[in-house]
Every structure is written in structure tokens, then in C-alpha cells.
């Protein structure tokens, strides 16, 4: 059943219950849903699904909006079964219009709801770009704090899935450049489970970049552990000679590179950014003070990128610790190529190691 | 006029010149003072008076040039179908020219331009009982609101000319559409304006100094919607707010706060937008979403016939009232310069939608008598004949005739004129007192939750300013 089959009539119960709009401090991380085991091996898509389910159970103001997210469960099945549990008034199959999705989510947020919008693919976010950058990001500022915008925009992004044009891109930098937005990207199922719930609890708009090439990779999800702060970066492998920083699917590549480097006798530390705006620099600066070398990697084109921003800031903050210039390993400054060339376009462990070698040669 | 206006005259001065765009329209508050007689304020500092004087010279200069453009237009208009090489001729001619924009499609009109209630049996007759049920207090209130808004508008235009506002966005001519529909809303309704809805703002309880603040550069907001009968903020990206209004109406529907059968508590949304915005994708998407979710919502289109310099015939080759029908939303066209039609039709549409009968669409035919903004020069793209034809349909004089026919005497209108003058004087006084905001305003409320970058930059700026010599400090009133 879709929303167009059944319009929102007044006879059905209001979804908000006794919740007061504007009270935004609902704890959502305290307990797992009854259907979920406390610790489970889940692929990221299922972990996100469990996180969304938990957020919807915790707060009746949380809504899902997007294309094909109802009976189909989204093209990646991240919202699978949610409409069955929560109904078509809380899981809205929308008309096919990204600006419409974001623009109406803004109105719903004004009303006290906490919409979670799914953009079907990275390259399709741009019809909604105006609403995101000129309206969503500025709405609280324009209202001088009188209105909050707790809207989450989920964006499956990145390459390695062999898809057609517009389906493999990494558009984070466009949004990182926009004041008023927050950007995060999980790299593991456990982070995905917790970070989506924290994003939904944020009173600010959060762009939630999901590394779609990691959707089907399993990892341990601990639904009993309390969440780490949403906007914190994290050391995921310790080392002493070179620091590698990346986010999303790139973290897996960096860990592969670190393993290979270790086999060649180079000790590499790997940091998962997790948050792209704001960036948690403390673990990065601390690491660079130890290693003296930094390589920043991402799938996105490097020009005016998150990687460039990190390079500039770490140079400012840890200049006297640096033994080598900060190096970037990124996608090329060219449109994402046809899929047969994606492995050439996207940084792999070898390209990261090439940068590690260049950093070590200074 | 059946041909497109002539191409802009390259000799007619730079874009954004300070051409005096207003025409002489009756100022009901003070017939002796026309819009063109902008007295330099006694309160304005000398430097501002100098600016005003400079602008006055520029105005004279541009006026002469504009006369040339008007002559060219007049010549073009005598040769229907013979283009003068303007851009428009490169495309197949629209079936309608600017004057045909207003082609009537059963236009609802309760009060004729002569100020007489229509007595025919047409569709307008349905609305007469609504009007006949209104008391004199409310009927006179309509007049008061139109007159005060126009007086306010003229004062703001003068403040802009005197350098006190960066820009002004006049609403002159559209008071009928605005005041009537605004009074048709109920207290619990939510109103989403574009940015020319000064009369609606006033009716909903906004201190119009908030509008002044937007254009003086002291705020991006100006009021708290929750404190002014849910009159939401102006939105400058054309058409964006139609989606916000639809989302808000979806929220009302999700809450079940409509269609309970109690019009005193059931909520509805009304969104205002213009003919130009109907070309924006967001407006079409808002209509799609509204139809999909059957939102309790009225789309109120003020067709003032010009999107800056582009006529409505370039936006649409059918009357805009026919647009919503393609989305499955009923549309109705009204004489937007008839405050009574605006009131009666909007009240009915709002009550239908709040009762759960789905979204409604109203096209109000009106006219932007003034310029798009104080930087615009409408003499470059529209004819004086067209303008005068609309001045003759001005919503205020016709309504005054109507009130006089119901027994209102000179004393009533004198009192309203005095109130309007007082209102304008109060706005002027408080405009001059509006101070630059604190530099904290750059950082406060970028986010709702704490943000390390904002916190660090705010702290840095404070320390930087402290480090400077006092007289060199940026920001503030220095």
C-alpha cells in the first residue's frame, strides 16, 4: 500500500502520540528493539535498517520519505519492512522529485516532525540541491533559532558497484561547503547502526553518506554498546610512520594498504573520519605529531575537496611535526568514468601505498 | 497591445539605476502627496540627504532616457506583429500578448471597478451572501488595511530613496488580493508568503518593521512565525516556499488536525506566490505533492502580470488558473483588485480544504503598479497605456466608493488617512533607530546544537576585534 492509494485521512490515529513537537532530546540509543539480538553479524544495509527501525520506535515524530522506500524497501532495501511495521503515514513513498522530497521535509520539520529522506543515488541529489543549500541549511539561521531543522538526508554514494552514470559519485564536498549542514559517513555496520540514530537525534540537518559498496559486507553490530559521539573521528589501526585518513568505503582500502605496508616494514596508522563536517581533527593532529606524515584519501575528485581541507588544516596545526607535505590520493578531476574504468579511477591500496612511499622518501 | 515590447534601449542607462519607477497613484491617506514627492526627511543626516539629492539627479537623467524607450514601445505597439528585432520574435509568437494575460476564465468579481456590488446571476453571485453577512467594522477594516499598507509602502520607498534601505519591494496595486485573502484566514491557519506580502503580514500581526529590517540589512528573518499568527518568513528563492507549505500541510494531515468538522480548530495552509514562480519546478512539485497527499492547503497565485520584465504570456500560454487542473487541483480565477472577491473566494477555499476536500488553487488577477523593486525600471518593458488601464482598476478607490455607498462619510476616511500617516511616521522613526546587529549574529543560530567550527570562529573574531585599535574595529556602527 502506498500513500497515493490511501490519502492521509483524519480518521486514522495521529502518529505523534503525546510527544510535544520541538522537544528534541529523545534518547534513542538506550536499548535494542525486541526483534533484534543484542549482538549480531549484519551487513551495513541491514544495520541501517535496524537503526532506522529503532529510531522510529523511539520517537513517533520520525518519518521516512523517499522514492520506492515503501513496499519495495528502497532500491538497496535499507527501509525494508519499515512501512509494514509503521504504516504509510510514517514511511512515505513520495512522488519522484528530489526537490519536492527535501522541500516538503522542511515543512514537516517546521511542524515538529523529524523526516529522514532517502535520495536514491548520489548523482540524483542535485534536483534537491537548491532546497538543501538555500533552504534547509539556512532555515534555522534565517529564523534566528526559532525553528529547528532535524532533517536527515540519506545518500548512498561512491563507486565499486559497476553502475551507470550518476550512480557511483561522491558529492560530499558540495555539501561540506555549505554552512548549516552536518555531514557524516559510516564505514562499518556498527557505526551505521549507531550513527543513523544519532543523526536522527540531531537538531540540525545531517547529510548521511552511506558507502553503497559496503552495504552487503557484514560486521558485528553491538546494540548494547552506547554510541560514540557522532562527530568524532577514530583511530582504527595504530602505527608510527605514516597516518592515513579517509571515510566510508575508503577506510577498507586504507586498512588493506596498511597491511601491505606492514609487510614491507612500514608502520601505518589509519583514521576513520566518520564525520566530514565538522571534522574532528584532534585524533588526526595527535597522530601526525607522532608519525610526521599524512596521506588523505577519498573517492571524490581532489580539487576543492574534503581531502584538500584536511591537508590545509593539518598543515596549519601540525606544521612543525610534518616530515613531508600532506599528500592526497583521490579520484581524478574528471567525471566518474564508465564502469569498466572505475577501478582505474578509484584510489586502491596500490595508489595509497605509492603516496606512502612518496611521503617516506622526504 | 498585441506585440512584445521593444528590445531594451541600450542607451537607457545601467541596470539598477535609481530611476524613479513609481507612477502617480492616488495615496488615499494623503491625496496631496504623491509617491514621486518624496520629502527628504528632516531626521535624515546631511550625508543621506546628499545621497538622496544625487539620486534625484540620476532620476531626472534616467527619466529622460526612459521616455525614449517608452516612445519606442509606443511605436512598436502601433505595428502589431511587426517585431523590432527583439529577442521574442525569434520564437513563435505566443497566442496572447501582455494585455491578453488577463483573459477572463469566469473571473469571480463581487465589486465592480465602479465600486458597485454585481447584481448579475453569474458565478460571482454565489459569493454575495458571504459579503452581505459581514459587518461594517470588518468592511471598513479592509479599507483601513489597504490604505495603511499603501501608505507604509510609500514611506518605505521613500526611505529607500533616502538611502535608509538597501532595496524596496513595493506591493502597490496588490492590496486588494492581499487584504481580502488575509482576512479570510483563521487564527490557526499557517500563511507562507513570498516576499511582497506586506499587507498580509500586517493583517496577521507582523510588526512591519520586521520587513524593513530585511531590506535595511539588519536581519534575514524579521519575525517569529509562532508569535504572529503563523505568518512564516519571506522566502526569496522564487517558489521554494511552496514546497515548505505543502510539507507543513502534510504535517497537519499527519496530525489529523483537519477535517474534524470544526472550522474553528481545523487547520489549513495558504501559500502566496506569483506568476513568475509558476515556471519554477518547485511550484509544480508542490502541486504534485499536494495532490498526492491531498493536503489541506490553498495555493494563492497573485498574477501581477510581470515577472520583473517578462510578461506572464511568456510563462504560460494558457490562463494560469488552468494549470492546477492538470494536477487534479480545482482552480478558480478572481478579480484580485476586488478585495471582497478575494475575501469571499479565499474563505470558501480555505474552509473546503480544512474540511478535508483537498487542495485548492486561486488565481488573483492583479497588477504590480510599482516596480519589481527599487532597482527596477518598468518603463523599459511595459507601456504607460497598460499601466493606466490597471491604475483605473486600483483596488482602493473602488472600495472607497463602495463604503461611501454604504454610508461611510468623510470622517471615516479622514480618520483612516490620519492613522496611515501616523503608521508611516512611526515606521520612519523606528527605521532610523534600527541599529546594526551585533557581530554575534554571524554565528548564532547557524546550527541549533553546538558546533566546534562556529564556536572557534566566533571566538577568533572577538579576539581579533579586541586586538584592533577601537576606531578601526569592523562591524557594529563604526
Amino acid at each position: 500500500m502506498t500513500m497515493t492509494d490511501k490519502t492521509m485521512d483524519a480518521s486514522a490515529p495521529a502518529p505523534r502520540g503525546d510527544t510535544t513537537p520541538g522537544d528534541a532530546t529523545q534518547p534513542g540509543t538506550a536499548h535494542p528493539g525486541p526483534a533484534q539480538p543484542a549482538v549480531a553479524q549484519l551487513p551495513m544495509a541491514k544495520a541501517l535498517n535496524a537503526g532506522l527501525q529503532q529510531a522510529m520506535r523511539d520517537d513517533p515524530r520520525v518519518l521516512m520519505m523517499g522514492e520506492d522506500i515503501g513496499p519495495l524497501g528502497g532500491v538497496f532495501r535499507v527501509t525494508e519492512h519499515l512501512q509494514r511495521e509503521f504504516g504509510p503515514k510514517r514511511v512515505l513513498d513520495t512522488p519522484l522529485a528530489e526537490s519536492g522530497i527535501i522541500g516538503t521535509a522542511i515543512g514537516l520539520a517546521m511542524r515538529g516532525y523529524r523526516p529522514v529522506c532517502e535520495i536514491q543515488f548520489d548523482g540524483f541529489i542535485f534536483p534537491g540541491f537548491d532546497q538543501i543549500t538555500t533552504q534547509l541549511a539556512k532555515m534555522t539561521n534565517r529564523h534566528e533559532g526559532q525553528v529547528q531543522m532535524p532533517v536527515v538526508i540519506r545518500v548512498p554514494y561512491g563507486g565499486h558497484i559497476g553502475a551507470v552514470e550518476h550512480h557511483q559519485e561522491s558529492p560530499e564536498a558540495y555539501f561540506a561547503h555549505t554552512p548549516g549542514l552536518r555531514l557524516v559517513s559510516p564505514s562499518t555496520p556498527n557505526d551505521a547502526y549507531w550513527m543513523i540514530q544519532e543523526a536522527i537525534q540531531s537538531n540540525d540537518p545531517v547529510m548521511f553518506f552511506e558507502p553503497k559498496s559496503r552495504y552487503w559486507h557484514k560486521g558485528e553490530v553491538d546494540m548494547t554498546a552506547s554510541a560514540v559521539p557522532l562527530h568524532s573521528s577514530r583511530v582504527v589501526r595504530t602505527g608510527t610512520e605514516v597516518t592515513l585518513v579517509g571515510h566510508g568505503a575508503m577506510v577498507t582500502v586504507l586498512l588493506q594498504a596498511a597491511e601491505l605496508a606492514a609487510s614491507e616494514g612500514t608502520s601505518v596508522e589509519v583514521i576513520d573520519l566518520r564525520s566530514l563536517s565538522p571534522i574532528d581533527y584532534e585524533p588526526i593532529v595527535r597522530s601526525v605529531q607522532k608519525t610526521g606524515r599524512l596521506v588523505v584519501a577519498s573517492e571524490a575528485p581532489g580539487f576543492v575537496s574534503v581531502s584538500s581541507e584536511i591537508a590545509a588544516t593539518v598543515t596549519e596545526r601540525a606544521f612543525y611535526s610534518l616530515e613531508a607535505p600532506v599528500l592526497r590520493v583521490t579520484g581524478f578531476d574528471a567525471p566518474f568514468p564508465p564502469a569498466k574504468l572505475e577501478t582505474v579511477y578509484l584510489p586502491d591500496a596500490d595508489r595509497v601505498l605509492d603516496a606512502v612511499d612518496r611521503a617516506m622518501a622526504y | 497591445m498585441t506585440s512584445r515590447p521593444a528590445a531594451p534601449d541600450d542607451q537607457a542607462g545601467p541596470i539598477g539605476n535609481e530611476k524613479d519607477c513609481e507612477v502617480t497613484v492616488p495615496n488615499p491617506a494623503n491625496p496631496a502627496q504623491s509617491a514621486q514627492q518624496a520629502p527628504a526627511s528632516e531626521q535624515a543626516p546631511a550625508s543621506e540627504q546628499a545621497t538622496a539629492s544625487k539620486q534625484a539627479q540620476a532620476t531626472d537623467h534616467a527619466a529622460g532616457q526612459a521616455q525614449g524607450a517608452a516612445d519606442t514601445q509606443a511605436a512598436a505597439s502601433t505595428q502589431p506583429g511587426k517585431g523590432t528585432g527583439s529577442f521574442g520574435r525569434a520564437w513563435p509568437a505566443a497566442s496572447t500578448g501582455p494585455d491578453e494575460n488577463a483573459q477572463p476564465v469566469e473571473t469571480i468579481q463581487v465589486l465592480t471597478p465602479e465600486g458597485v456590488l454585481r447584481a448579475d446571476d453569474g458565478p460571482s453571485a454565489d459569493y454575495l451572501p458571504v459579503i452581505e453577512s459581514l459587518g461594517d467594522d470588518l468592511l471598513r477594516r479592509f479599507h483601513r488595511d489597504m490604505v495603511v499598507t499603501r501608505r507604509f509602502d510609500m514611506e518605505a520607498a521613500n526611505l529607500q530613496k533616502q538611502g535608509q534601505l538597501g532595496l524596496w519591494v513595493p506591493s502597490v496595486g496588490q492590496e486588494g488580493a492581499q487584504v481580502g485573502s488575509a482576512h479570510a484566514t483563521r487564527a490557526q491557519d499557517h500563511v507562507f508568503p513570498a516576499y511582497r506580502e506586506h499587507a498580509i503580514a500586517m493583517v496577521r500581526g507582523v510588526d512591519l518593521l520586521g520587513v524593513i529590517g530585511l531590506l535595511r540589512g539588519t536581519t534575514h528573518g524579521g519575525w517569529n512565525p509562532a508569535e504572529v499568527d503563523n505568518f512564516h518568513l519571506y522566502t526569496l528563492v522564487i517558489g521554494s516556499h511552496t514546497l515548505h507549505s505543502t510539507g507543513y500541510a502534510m504535517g497537519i494531515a499527519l496530525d489529523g488536525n483537519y477535517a474534524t468538522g470544526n472550522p474553528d480548530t481545523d487547520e489549513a495552509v495558504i501559500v502566496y506566490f506569483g506568476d513568475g514562480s509558476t515556471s519554477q519546478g518547485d511550484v509544480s512539485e508542490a502541486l504534485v505533492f499536494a495532490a498526492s497527499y491531498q493536503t489541506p492547503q490553498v495555493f494563492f497565485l497573485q498574477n501581477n502580470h510581470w515577472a520583473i520584465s517578462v510578461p506572464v504570456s511568456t510563462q504560460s500560454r494558457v490562463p494560469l488558473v488552468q494549470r492546477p487542473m492538470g494536477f487534479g487541483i480545482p482552480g478558480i480565477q478572481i478579480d484580485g483588485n476586488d478585495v471582497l472577491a478575494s475575501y469571499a473566494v479565499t474563505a470558501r477555499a480555505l474552509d473546503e480544504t480544512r474540511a478535508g476536500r483537498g487542495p485548492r488553487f486561486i488565481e488573483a488577477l492583479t497588477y504590480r503598479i510599482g516596480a519589481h523593486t527599487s532597482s527596477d525600471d518598468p518603463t523599459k518593458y511595459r507601456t504607460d497605456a497598460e499601466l493606466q488601464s490597471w491604475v483605473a482598476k486600483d483596488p482602493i478607490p473602488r472600495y472607497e466608493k463602495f463604503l461611501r455607498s454604504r454610508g461611510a462619510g468623510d470622517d471615516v476616511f479622514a480618520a483612516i488617512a490620519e492613522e496611515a500617516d501616523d503608521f508611516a511616521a512611526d515606521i520612519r522613526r523606528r527605521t532610523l533607530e534600527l541599529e546594526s546587529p551585533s557581530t554575534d549574529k554571524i554565528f548564532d543560530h547557524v546550527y541549533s546544537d553546538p558546533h566546534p567550527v562556529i564556536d572557534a570562529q566566533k571566538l577568533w573574531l572577538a579576539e581579533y576585534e579586541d586586538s584592533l585599535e577601537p576606531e578601526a574595529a569592523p562591524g557594529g556602527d563604526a
Side-chain angles (χ1 to χ4, degrees), chain B residues 26-49:
Chain B
N27 174 3
N30 185 355
Q33 179 189 324
S34 82
Q36 286 175 323
Q37 294 168 322
S41 166
E42 292 172 10
Q43 298 165 56
S47 63
E48 282 150 9
Q49 292 198 8

Short mmCIF file of all heavy atoms in Angstrom, two decimals, chain B residues 26-49:
data_model
loop_
_atom_site.label_atom_id
_atom_site.label_comp_id
_atom_site.label_asym_id
_atom_site.label_seq_id
_atom_site.Cartn_x
_atom_site.Cartn_y
_atom_site.Cartn_z
N PRO B 26 -3.05 57.30 -6.62
CA PRO B 26 -3.66 58.02 -5.52
C PRO B 26 -3.20 57.46 -4.18
O PRO B 26 -3.15 56.25 -4.01
CB PRO B 26 -5.17 57.79 -5.73
CG PRO B 26 -5.29 56.69 -6.71
CD PRO B 26 -4.02 56.61 -7.47
N ASN B 27 -2.79 58.32 -3.32
CA ASN B 27 -2.49 57.92 -1.96
C ASN B 27 -3.69 58.29 -1.11
O ASN B 27 -3.88 59.46 -0.79
CB ASN B 27 -1.23 58.64 -1.46
CG ASN B 27 -0.98 58.34 0.00
OD1 ASN B 27 -1.71 57.56 0.61
ND2 ASN B 27 0.05 58.96 0.54
N PRO B 28 -4.48 57.30 -0.79
CA PRO B 28 -5.72 57.63 -0.10
C PRO B 28 -5.48 58.30 1.25
O PRO B 28 -6.33 59.00 1.76
CB PRO B 28 -6.39 56.27 0.10
CG PRO B 28 -5.69 55.35 -0.85
CD PRO B 28 -4.32 55.88 -1.00
N ALA B 29 -4.29 58.07 1.79
CA ALA B 29 -4.03 58.65 3.10
C ALA B 29 -3.77 60.15 2.98
O ALA B 29 -4.01 60.91 3.90
CB ALA B 29 -2.84 57.96 3.75
N ASN B 30 -3.25 60.55 1.86
CA ASN B 30 -2.91 61.96 1.70
C ASN B 30 -2.86 62.29 0.22
O ASN B 30 -1.81 62.23 -0.40
CB ASN B 30 -1.54 62.24 2.37
CG ASN B 30 -1.21 63.71 2.32
OD1 ASN B 30 -1.95 64.51 1.71
ND2 ASN B 30 -0.12 64.08 2.96
N PRO B 31 -3.99 62.62 -0.34
CA PRO B 31 -4.06 62.85 -1.78
C PRO B 31 -3.09 63.92 -2.27
O PRO B 31 -2.68 63.90 -3.42
CB PRO B 31 -5.51 63.28 -2.00
CG PRO B 31 -6.26 62.77 -0.81
CD PRO B 31 -5.28 62.80 0.32
N ALA B 32 -2.68 64.78 -1.39
CA ALA B 32 -1.80 65.86 -1.83
C ALA B 32 -0.38 65.37 -2.05
O ALA B 32 0.42 66.02 -2.70
CB ALA B 32 -1.80 66.98 -0.80
N GLN B 33 -0.07 64.23 -1.48
CA GLN B 33 1.32 63.77 -1.56
C GLN B 33 1.40 62.54 -2.45
O GLN B 33 0.91 61.48 -2.13
CB GLN B 33 1.81 63.41 -0.15
CG GLN B 33 3.24 62.90 -0.17
CD GLN B 33 3.63 62.34 1.19
OE1 GLN B 33 3.21 62.87 2.20
NE2 GLN B 33 4.41 61.29 1.20
N SER B 34 2.00 62.68 -3.60
CA SER B 34 2.12 61.53 -4.48
C SER B 34 3.41 60.80 -4.16
O SER B 34 4.27 61.26 -3.45
CB SER B 34 2.15 61.97 -5.94
OG SER B 34 3.46 62.39 -6.27
N ALA B 35 3.53 59.62 -4.75
CA ALA B 35 4.72 58.81 -4.49
C ALA B 35 5.97 59.50 -5.00
O ALA B 35 7.06 59.26 -4.52
CB ALA B 35 4.57 57.45 -5.16
N GLN B 36 5.81 60.36 -5.99
CA GLN B 36 7.00 60.98 -6.56
C GLN B 36 7.50 62.14 -5.72
O GLN B 36 8.60 62.61 -5.91
CB GLN B 36 6.69 61.47 -7.97
CG GLN B 36 6.60 60.29 -8.95
CD GLN B 36 6.17 60.73 -10.31
OE1 GLN B 36 5.35 61.63 -10.46
NE2 GLN B 36 6.73 60.10 -11.32
N GLN B 37 6.64 62.59 -4.82
CA GLN B 37 7.08 63.69 -3.96
C GLN B 37 7.62 63.12 -2.68
O GLN B 37 6.92 63.04 -1.68
CB GLN B 37 5.90 64.63 -3.69
CG GLN B 37 5.42 65.33 -4.95
CD GLN B 37 4.09 66.01 -4.75
OE1 GLN B 37 3.22 65.50 -4.07
NE2 GLN B 37 3.94 67.19 -5.32
N ALA B 38 8.83 62.66 -2.73
CA ALA B 38 9.43 62.05 -1.57
C ALA B 38 10.18 63.11 -0.79
O ALA B 38 11.25 63.53 -1.19
CB ALA B 38 10.39 60.96 -2.00
N PRO B 39 9.62 63.58 0.28
CA PRO B 39 10.31 64.63 1.01
C PRO B 39 11.54 64.08 1.71
O PRO B 39 11.49 62.99 2.28
CB PRO B 39 9.26 65.08 2.03
CG PRO B 39 8.41 63.86 2.24
CD PRO B 39 8.41 63.12 0.94
N ALA B 40 12.64 64.79 1.61
CA ALA B 40 13.80 64.39 2.38
C ALA B 40 13.44 64.54 3.85
O ALA B 40 12.88 65.53 4.26
CB ALA B 40 14.99 65.28 2.02
N SER B 41 13.76 63.49 4.58
CA SER B 41 13.36 63.52 5.98
C SER B 41 14.14 64.57 6.75
O SER B 41 15.33 64.74 6.56
CB SER B 41 13.62 62.15 6.61
OG SER B 41 13.55 62.27 8.00
N GLU B 42 13.44 65.23 7.63
CA GLU B 42 14.14 66.16 8.50
C GLU B 42 15.09 65.41 9.41
O GLU B 42 16.05 65.96 9.91
CB GLU B 42 13.12 66.93 9.34
CG GLU B 42 12.28 67.88 8.50
CD GLU B 42 11.15 68.48 9.30
OE1 GLU B 42 11.15 68.32 10.54
OE2 GLU B 42 10.31 69.13 8.68
N GLN B 43 14.77 64.12 9.61
CA GLN B 43 15.60 63.35 10.53
C GLN B 43 16.82 62.75 9.83
O GLN B 43 17.71 62.23 10.48
CB GLN B 43 14.78 62.21 11.14
CG GLN B 43 13.63 62.74 11.96
CD GLN B 43 12.62 61.64 12.25
OE1 GLN B 43 12.97 60.62 12.81
NE2 GLN B 43 11.38 61.85 11.88
N ALA B 44 16.82 62.75 8.51
CA ALA B 44 17.94 62.11 7.82
C ALA B 44 19.19 62.96 7.98
O ALA B 44 19.16 64.17 7.84
CB ALA B 44 17.63 61.95 6.34
N PRO B 45 20.31 62.30 8.26
CA PRO B 45 21.56 63.06 8.39
C PRO B 45 21.91 63.74 7.06
O PRO B 45 21.43 63.34 6.00
CB PRO B 45 22.59 61.99 8.72
CG PRO B 45 21.85 60.75 9.04
CD PRO B 45 20.47 60.89 8.50
N ALA B 46 22.78 64.73 7.17
CA ALA B 46 23.13 65.52 5.99
C ALA B 46 23.70 64.63 4.89
O ALA B 46 23.39 64.80 3.71
CB ALA B 46 24.14 66.60 6.38
N SER B 47 24.52 63.67 5.27
CA SER B 47 25.15 62.84 4.25
C SER B 47 24.09 62.07 3.47
O SER B 47 24.20 61.84 2.27
CB SER B 47 26.13 61.87 4.90
OG SER B 47 25.43 61.00 5.76
N GLU B 48 23.03 61.66 4.18
CA GLU B 48 21.99 60.92 3.49
C GLU B 48 21.19 61.82 2.59
O GLU B 48 20.72 61.42 1.53
CB GLU B 48 21.09 60.22 4.51
CG GLU B 48 21.75 58.96 5.05
CD GLU B 48 21.32 58.66 6.46
OE1 GLU B 48 20.39 59.31 6.94
OE2 GLU B 48 21.94 57.78 7.07
N GLN B 49 21.04 63.07 3.01
CA GLN B 49 20.33 63.99 2.14
C GLN B 49 21.11 64.22 0.86
O GLN B 49 20.54 64.33 -0.22
CB GLN B 49 20.09 65.32 2.85
CG GLN B 49 19.09 65.15 4.01
CD GLN B 49 18.50 66.46 4.44
OE1 GLN B 49 18.70 67.47 3.80
NE2 GLN B 49 17.75 66.44 5.52
#
